[in-house]
Amino acid sequence: MSSAVEKQDISQETGGQDSRSRRSGGREARRAMRAAPLADDVRPIRPGLEGGRYKPLGQNDLERIHEAVLTLLETVGFANAIPSCIEACTRVGVVLGEDGRLRFPRELVMSTIRNAARNFTLCGQDPKHDMVIQGKRVHYGTAGAAVHLVDVEKREYRESLLQDIYDAARIVDGLDNIHFFQRPMVPRDVPDPLDMDFNTLYACVMGTSKHVGTSFTVRENVAPALEMLYTIAGGEENFRARPFVSNSNCFVVPPMKFAEDACGVLEACVEGGIPILLLSAGQAGATAPAAIAGVVVQAVAEVLAGLVYVNALKPGHPAIFGTWPFVSDLRTGAMSGGSAEQALLTAACAQMAQFYDLPGGSAAGMSDSKMPDIQSGYEKGITNVMAGLSGVNLVYESAGMHASLLGFCLESLIIDNDMLGHCQRCVRGIEVTDTALSIDTIAEVCLNGPGHYLGNEQTLRLMQTEYFYPAIGDRLSPKEWNERGKPDILGRAIAEKKRILAERFPRHVPKATDDRLRAKFGELIKLPRSGMGC
Amino acid sequence: MSSAVEKQDISQETGGQDSRSRRSGGREARRAMRAAPLADDVRPIRPGLEGGRYKPLGQNDLERIHEAVLTLLETVGFANAIPSCIEACTRVGVVLGEDGRLRFPRELVMSTIRNAARNFTLCGQDPKHDMVIQGKRVHYGTAGAAVHLVDVEKREYRESLLQDIYDAARIVDGLDNIHFFQRPMVPRDVPDPLDMDFNTLYACVMGTSKHVGTSFTVRENVAPALEMLYTIAGGEENFRARPFVSNSNCFVVPPMKFAEDACGVLEACVEGGIPILLLSAGQAGATAPAAIAGVVVQAVAEVLAGLVYVNALKPGHPAIFGTWPFVSDLRTGAMSGGSAEQALLTAACAQMAQFYDLPGGSAAGMSDSKMPDIQSGYEKGITNVMAGLSGVNLVYESAGMHASLLGFCLESLIIDNDMLGHCQRCVRGIEVTDTALSIDTIAEVCLNGPGHYLGNEQTLRLMQTEYFYPAIGDRLSPKEWNERGKPDILGRAIAEKKRILAERFPRHVPKATDDRLRAKFGELIKLPRSGMGC
């Protein structure tokens, strides 16, 4: 192979010349080399790559934000706590004021941070999808509660359905660069809250063996869900040992008020062994300050209050530091998930989680654009790469999302899988070793060699392990592109979606288990077996 | 205004709810507030924002790369130097080997770095466009030598023409977030090299009063260009005092060989008072090593050799550290400008320029996609924001470019202006001051206030100065988008391009000066006055 490559002519591709190389001899050989799947440890990208090389905040900034947070928690505190929350929190030292607000002494906040769960694993049903949440390890996944599915072919928004959730789950199940599946849409065809919560979770866990995140409307809806999960796990202990579902919990109505129903859900999930994503979703200029630093302060204060609450209920219960502040377009008040300010907020929150050495989750990839177009591309690319480089452990909303969380798109999942691959390659960064510095290689090529690196041993060795190749991204020359009929990335994504939906019906939950679930829950299960390829 | 805003209902926009706010009372007032143009010093973004919060390389990595560079320069050196280069370089201590290679002693390299020009200004014809190149100040601009213009309406690539260069220049002239204009295309309708060089420059400097970059094919083509520039400047001294054109100079054919014609051009430009962009454009795995660190080593070595050369010709002549390594898709050998590896290379090169405190320029924004689609969006967004965050002084190729430098698109310029605005807002980062931390604001809103920040004094104060608003980016809700006929960003960009091309004919070069040029150069000038709105 090396000689075939060496024989090719070298034409230099610079900014100054139209000299796209026209090599062919080595191409097929190199393509064949690429066709063999790589072992996980030599893949150019993988879940849990270490981020953190981008730091929007300096050390002094972090300390000032932390001090402001402690001040807010002990002087402003939280309104609207439910009785069980008051009971649990005051037991550990939270102070109930005459104005009804719970205030958090700084010593309690600090000891909670010290003793909180960290370095835990968010499990998949399949252990190969386990995510070790620690340090600055980065994972990307979905999330959201879109009410629309984006129909790319018809160029329209329609209501999202239960089947769409299952379809999104099974698409994500096969996309390497999307590491977890939090429910991204609400099923508008299942309006009853219990039906909705139960079936959303059912569609998710049947659709993918990756870690799943979901929400519950009220406390009472947790019990049947737990029964389903314990059944799938083969018993309560099995689920508690490897919880493959976490609860995305909006326990706070910013600014600084508890959400009563969500708190009930939180308590039931802690009791049932479900990890909690403590999600504070203030919106800058509306439910959070307009100053970026102030948004971070409020979000961190809110999530730390939630952390005290969870640890008051059950010390060491796994909880994710879910600072998810959003941005408003202050001209209209509408949310702007694709904005630069959003990218900064998310990255700053990552640093605060790292400041506390807590497992951090935040949101990126929320395009304002309605369709998978160039705007959605740059908004997703900018926000997701900054999230990854900052070292957020869990990047939620990173794939498929449009219209600032109102529309979810299956084709975008497939395109975004490539985009997230690029982000992960950027997170992985640059290896600087004696070999990588390449002094000997450069000297050999210049002084004794062919004057180029095409057939070099180093090139052949690194092409698979150091370079990320997109699955449907287009790298054709204009000439090739024209000859192939000017292919369009949306067309490729539509075709790939149809292929996946026709072929991929995950069977990680055995039929016998699903039989038991259907026997146990009867008509509560709304997703027909026909929609599951049975 | 504040009370009107306060009266609006607050609906919380979270990941869990379909509750896009429907406020109207304050919108118009806030829109009116936004309509007044802002003074430059309070704009949310501006040229020269300070980057550097993203550091792909650690201090030890930088030092190891530097050491490898010095080793290469003194042991491998450069082939193919022209006699005048050998003469100038050996005079300052470069060693000509028996193998014909010039080798650079490390003391000479270090003293060159110490004494080289830094902290200089790249001037515009209009001083308001001057760029102060120092530290980690970031500027974005165009560049390239595309041979095609991307026709978005016909969805096709056609040959690029002289008029296209002028049109691109005048579009860039009015786009705030593109700070300089290096010629992005070659005029395929002007094949003679002298005609091409002269007219390319003429189209650029007539089309925009921003700083211009251009190339010359051979040394002899520099003289008439200088005559044109001196005429426009109102005399040679005026031009030398405020050179508003720099020479993009590919003086090296990687790996480690001088490009003979470009070196002749370089010498003529140094003599004529034109700043030099010392451009090394190796391609990883083809004309540079496949290891990312090795690519950086080679690029830095090559540019430092050029810096020695320039300073041997004229100590302190302004030169830009133009490490522009490119990436190959190693499966095919084709360039991949939109890749993650490209983003890493560009950011690493920025750090090396900072390591030497030299004015650094590198390339980002080079999409592999043929059209302004979602792929081009994420490729441009990822690479450009990482370039900015790393603090590259001059980001070349950042707008308009497609097909890995083979196609340039006028509509993309307009879209990319928004994208670069987002990038610049990210570069600007987060202000952490007592006021921005917002403790008092949060306490007031929670304890005594309305429970939201919509009408807050801080919100109204910051909405103009802290938030970047895209010009054609879409932030409509799905409902509004539907009601407005599902507008498409490409449609808006096409319309805006047509409006600009019909209306904007820059007149910073007075008609009398152009008359003199046309009298002096006669038929050498190929751009008809009719194409210039006369």
Side-chain angles (χ1 to χ4, degrees):
Chain A
M1 156 138 193
S2 143
S3 66
V5 173
E6 281 168 10
K7 263 183 258 161
Q8 296 154 29
D9 66 302
I10 312 303
S11 70
Q12 191 200 353
E13 177 90 43
T14 73
Q17 303 301 331
D18 174 22
S19 57
R20 180 171 287 269
S21 310
R22 291 275 171 272
R23 302 174 202 101
S24 56
R27 277 195 193 181
E28 290 312 314
R30 281 178 284 180
R31 283 201 174 120
M33 180 174 263
R34 281 281 312 159
L38 285 179
D40 275 356
D41 61 333
V42 295
R43 288 181 60 210
I45 57 171
R46 49 190 176 273
L49 290 163
E50 185 94 0
R53 290 209 166 264
Y54 165 54
K55 297 182 201 297
L57 299 169
Q59 186 61 31
N60 190 44
D61 298 332
L62 297 168
E63 283 162 14
R64 291 181 73 186
I65 289 169
H66 169 58
E67 182 57 34
V69 163
L70 293 180
T71 301
L72 271 187
L73 283 171
E74 66 185 357
T75 60
V76 176
F78 266 57
N80 294 10
I82 58 177
S84 51
C85 172
I86 294 172
E87 200 277 318
C89 286
T90 53
R91 189 157 26 84
V92 296
V94 176
V95 180
L96 180 62
E98 290 186 2
D99 58 357
R101 298 185 78 94
L102 284 179
R103 292 184 171 80
F104 301 77
R106 60 177 59 208
E107 299 73 22
L108 173 63
V109 175
M110 295 307 295
S111 72
T112 299
I113 292 169
R114 275 195 304 278
N115 298 321
R118 46 173 58 81
N119 305 335
F120 53 76
T121 297
L122 289 178
C123 299
Q125 289 181 69
D126 185 332
K128 80 179 175 200
H129 294 309
D130 284 2
M131 299 183 290
V132 179
I133 309 302
Q134 68 180 32
K136 299 169 186 171
R137 288 169 54 95
V138 176
H139 305 81
Y140 287 94
T142 61
V147 291
H148 299 286
L149 187 95
V150 182
D151 185 324
V152 174
E153 286 182 273
K154 292 185 180 161
R155 200 174 159 76
E156 71 180 23
Y157 275 54
R158 67 156 169 82
E159 292 211 323
S160 49
L161 307 176
L162 182 60
Q163 180 73 40
D164 297 326
I165 298 175
Y166 178 70
D167 290 349
R170 59 199 178 107
I171 290 173
V172 165
D173 194 56
L175 296 174
D176 281 348
N177 307 327
I178 306 178
H179 306 134
F180 61 93
F181 184 72
Q182 185 153 305
R183 75 92 163 77
M185 294 170 271
V186 294
R188 299 297 295 246
D189 51 342
V190 186
D192 174 78
L194 172 60
D195 290 355
M196 183 180 78
D197 290 352
F198 187 88
N199 282 284
T200 296
L201 179 59
Y202 177 83
C204 291
V205 296
M206 298 302 283
T208 180
S209 62
K210 296 183 179 180
H211 186 80
V212 158
T214 197
S215 289
F216 300 101
T217 315
V218 291
R219 182 195 298 257
E220 293 67 32
N221 295 1
V222 177
L226 281 171
E227 200 180 339
M228 165 169 51
L229 295 176
Y230 295 164
T231 302
I232 291 173
E236 178 173 343
E237 278 103 88
N238 289 355
F239 181 80
R240 287 181 178 273
R242 293 184 43 81
F244 51 82
V245 170
S246 51
N247 169 230
S248 173
N249 192 293
C250 290
F251 70 98
V252 53
V253 180
M256 311 288 275
K257 295 185 297 291
F258 281 109
E260 304 186 6
D261 281 339
C263 288
V265 169
L266 182 147
E267 294 181 1
C269 287
V270 168
E271 195 182 330
I274 298 181
I276 305 288
L277 165 60
L278 287 165
L279 202 163
S280 153
Q283 196 173 322
T287 56
I292 307 282
V295 185
V296 177
V297 166
Q298 184 182 301
V300 171
E302 289 172 343
V303 173
L304 286 180
L307 196 69
V308 171
Y309 180 20
V310 166
N311 282 276
L313 292 168
K314 186 173 170 191
H317 186 82
I320 298 153
F321 186 79
T323 39
W324 283 32
F326 293 138
V327 165
S328 310
D329 185 313
L330 295 176
R331 299 168 302 182
T332 60
M335 176 175 162
S336 171
S339 61
E341 295 83 6
Q342 179 68 62
L344 289 168
L345 276 176
T346 296
C349 287
Q351 277 194 277
M352 288 309 299
Q354 290 157 19
F355 181 79
Y356 298 126
D357 188 22
L358 288 171
S362 198
M366 303 166 289
S367 173
D368 295 331
S369 181
K370 261 48 72 192
M371 285 284 151
D373 59 7
I374 183 168
Q375 178 186 343
S376 79
Y378 71 67
E379 291 177 338
K380 285 167 182 245
I382 290 171
T383 56
N384 272 315
V385 83
M386 284 172 64
L389 293 174
S390 72
V392 187
N393 297 132
L394 296 150
V395 187
Y396 294 89
E397 314 276 14
S398 69
M401 196 52 87
H402 289 272
S404 268
L405 302 183
L406 293 176
F408 194 76
C409 177
L410 302 181
E411 286 82 359
S412 285
L413 276 180
I414 292 162
I415 297 167
D416 292 348
N417 181 59
D418 271 355
M419 180 265 298
L420 292 174
H422 287 288
C423 292
Q424 288 162 47
R425 181 64 189 86
C426 292
V427 170
R428 178 175 158 188
I430 301 170
E431 184 187 40
V432 180
T433 60
D434 282 342
T435 318
L437 286 167
S438 311
I439 300 179
D440 294 345
T441 305
I442 297 171
E444 177 65 22
V445 161
C446 290
L447 299 178
N448 311 311
H452 66 81
Y453 301 82
L454 277 175
N456 194 278
E457 172 277 327
Q458 188 196 56
T459 304
L460 298 175
R461 183 163 42 80
L462 297 183
M463 64 177 286
Q464 294 187 88
T465 58
E466 292 290 309
Y467 286 80
F468 167 72
Y469 300 100
I472 71 161
D474 164 30
R475 292 181 169 177
L476 298 174
S477 72
K479 183 166 176 292
E480 292 165 320
W481 178 73
N482 199 47
E483 287 165 359
R484 295 192 194 179
K486 303 178 182 174
D488 170 59
I489 191 163
L490 296 184
R492 288 196 299 284
I494 291 166
E496 178 64 4
K497 177 197 76 170
K498 290 180 177 172
R499 187 193 66 75
I500 295 170
L501 294 184
E503 294 175 5
R504 188 180 189 97
F505 293 98
R507 296 283 180 250
H508 53 275
V509 177
K511 170 119 189 345
T513 305
D514 192 30
D515 288 342
R516 276 204 298 284
L517 291 175
R518 287 181 181 259
K520 189 175 297 189
F521 293 105
E523 294 200 348
L524 183 54
I525 296 181
K526 306 294 183 195
L527 189 66
R529 279 212 154 134
S530 60
M532 300 167 70
C534 305
Chain B
M1 160 140 189
S2 142
S3 65
V5 173
E6 281 168 10
K7 263 182 257 162
Q8 296 154 30
D9 68 302
I10 311 304
S11 70
Q12 190 198 354
E13 177 89 46
T14 72
Q17 304 300 330
D18 175 21
S19 58
R20 179 170 290 268
S21 310
R22 291 274 170 270
R23 302 175 202 101
S24 56
R27 277 195 194 182
E28 291 312 313
R30 280 178 283 180
R31 282 201 175 119
M33 181 174 263
R34 280 282 311 160
L38 285 179
D40 274 356
D41 60 334
V42 295
R43 290 181 59 209
I45 56 170
R46 49 191 175 272
L49 290 163
E50 186 93 359
R53 290 210 166 264
Y54 165 54
K55 297 182 201 299
L57 298 170
Q59 185 62 30
N60 190 43
D61 298 333
L62 296 168
E63 283 162 14
R64 291 181 73 187
I65 289 170
H66 169 59
E67 182 57 33
V69 164
L70 294 180
T71 302
L72 271 188
L73 283 171
E74 65 186 356
T75 60
V76 175
F78 265 58
N80 294 10
I82 58 177
S84 51
C85 172
I86 293 173
E87 198 279 319
C89 286
T90 53
R91 191 160 20 87
V92 296
V94 176
V95 180
L96 179 62
E98 290 185 4
D99 57 359
R101 299 185 78 94
L102 284 179
R103 291 185 171 80
F104 301 78
R106 61 175 61 207
E107 299 73 22
L108 172 64
V109 175
M110 294 307 294
S111 71
T112 299
I113 292 169
R114 275 196 303 278
N115 298 319
R118 46 172 58 81
N119 305 335
F120 53 77
T121 298
L122 289 179
C123 299
Q125 289 180 70
D126 185 333
K128 81 178 175 200
H129 293 310
D130 283 3
M131 299 184 289
V132 179
I133 308 302
Q134 67 180 32
K136 297 169 186 173
R137 288 168 55 94
V138 176
H139 305 82
Y140 288 94
T142 60
V147 291
H148 300 285
L149 187 96
V150 182
D151 185 324
V152 174
E153 288 182 271
K154 293 186 180 160
R155 200 175 161 75
E156 69 180 23
Y157 276 54
R158 66 157 169 81
E159 292 211 322
S160 49
L161 308 175
L162 183 60
Q163 181 73 40
D164 297 326
I165 298 175
Y166 178 70
D167 289 349
R170 59 199 179 106
I171 290 173
V172 165
D173 194 56
L175 295 175
D176 281 349
N177 307 327
I178 305 178
H179 306 134
F180 62 92
F181 184 73
Q182 185 152 307
R183 74 93 163 77
M185 294 170 272
V186 294
R188 300 296 294 244
D189 51 341
V190 187
D192 174 77
L194 172 61
D195 290 355
M196 182 181 79
D197 289 352
F198 187 88
N199 282 284
T200 296
L201 179 58
Y202 177 82
C204 292
V205 297
M206 297 303 284
T208 180
S209 63
K210 297 184 179 180
H211 186 79
V212 158
T214 197
S215 290
F216 300 101
T217 314
V218 290
R219 181 195 298 258
E220 294 66 34
N221 294 1
V222 177
L226 282 171
E227 200 180 339
M228 165 170 47
L229 295 176
Y230 296 163
T231 302
I232 291 173
E236 178 172 342
E237 279 103 87
N238 289 355
F239 180 81
R240 286 181 180 273
R242 292 185 44 80
F244 51 82
V245 170
S246 53
N247 169 230
S248 172
N249 192 294
C250 289
F251 70 97
V252 54
V253 180
M256 310 288 275
K257 295 186 295 293
F258 282 108
E260 305 187 5
D261 281 340
C263 288
V265 169
L266 182 149
E267 294 182 0
C269 287
V270 168
E271 197 184 325
I274 298 182
I276 306 289
L277 165 61
L278 287 165
L279 203 163
S280 152
Q283 196 173 323
T287 56
I292 306 284
V295 185
V296 177
V297 166
Q298 184 181 303
V300 171
E302 289 172 342
V303 173
L304 286 180
L307 196 70
V308 170
Y309 179 19
V310 165
N311 281 275
L313 293 167
K314 186 174 170 189
H317 186 81
I320 298 152
F321 187 80
T323 39
W324 282 33
F326 294 138
V327 166
S328 311
D329 185 313
L330 295 176
R331 300 169 300 184
T332 61
M335 178 175 161
S336 170
S339 61
E341 295 82 6
Q342 180 68 61
L344 289 168
L345 275 177
T346 296
C349 287
Q351 277 194 277
M352 287 310 299
Q354 291 157 17
F355 181 79
Y356 298 126
D357 187 23
L358 288 171
S362 199
M366 303 166 289
S367 173
D368 295 332
S369 182
K370 259 49 71 191
M371 285 284 150
D373 60 7
I374 183 168
Q375 178 187 343
S376 79
Y378 71 68
E379 290 177 338
K380 284 167 182 244
I382 290 172
T383 55
N384 272 313
V385 84
M386 285 173 63
L389 293 174
S390 70
V392 187
N393 297 131
L394 296 150
V395 187
Y396 294 88
E397 314 277 13
S398 69
M401 197 51 88
H402 288 271
S404 269
L405 303 184
L406 293 176
F408 194 76
C409 176
L410 301 181
E411 287 82 0
S412 286
L413 276 180
I414 292 163
I415 297 167
D416 292 348
N417 181 59
D418 272 354
M419 179 265 298
L420 292 174
H422 287 288
C423 291
Q424 287 163 46
R425 181 63 190 89
C426 293
V427 169
R428 179 176 157 187
I430 300 171
E431 183 186 42
V432 180
T433 60
D434 282 344
T435 318
L437 287 166
S438 311
I439 299 180
D440 295 344
T441 305
I442 297 171
E444 176 65 22
V445 161
C446 289
L447 298 178
N448 309 313
H452 65 81
Y453 301 81
L454 276 176
N456 193 277
E457 172 277 327
Q458 187 196 57
T459 304
L460 299 175
R461 184 163 42 81
L462 298 183
M463 65 177 287
Q464 293 188 88
T465 58
E466 291 289 309
Y467 287 78
F468 166 72
Y469 300 100
I472 70 161
D474 163 31
R475 292 181 170 178
L476 299 173
S477 72
K479 183 166 176 293
E480 293 164 320
W481 177 74
N482 199 46
E483 286 165 0
R484 296 192 193 179
K486 304 177 183 174
D488 169 57
I489 192 164
L490 295 184
R492 289 196 299 285
I494 291 167
E496 178 65 3
K497 177 197 76 171
K498 289 180 176 172
R499 187 192 67 73
I500 296 170
L501 294 185
E503 294 175 6
R504 188 181 189 96
F505 293 98
R507 297 283 180 250
H508 52 276
V509 176
K511 169 115 186 354
T513 306
D514 192 29
D515 287 343
R516 276 203 298 284
L517 291 176
R518 288 181 181 260
K520 190 175 297 190
F521 293 105
E523 295 200 346
L524 183 54
I525 297 181
K526 306 294 182 194
L527 189 67
R529 278 213 155 131
S530 59
M532 299 167 71
C534 303

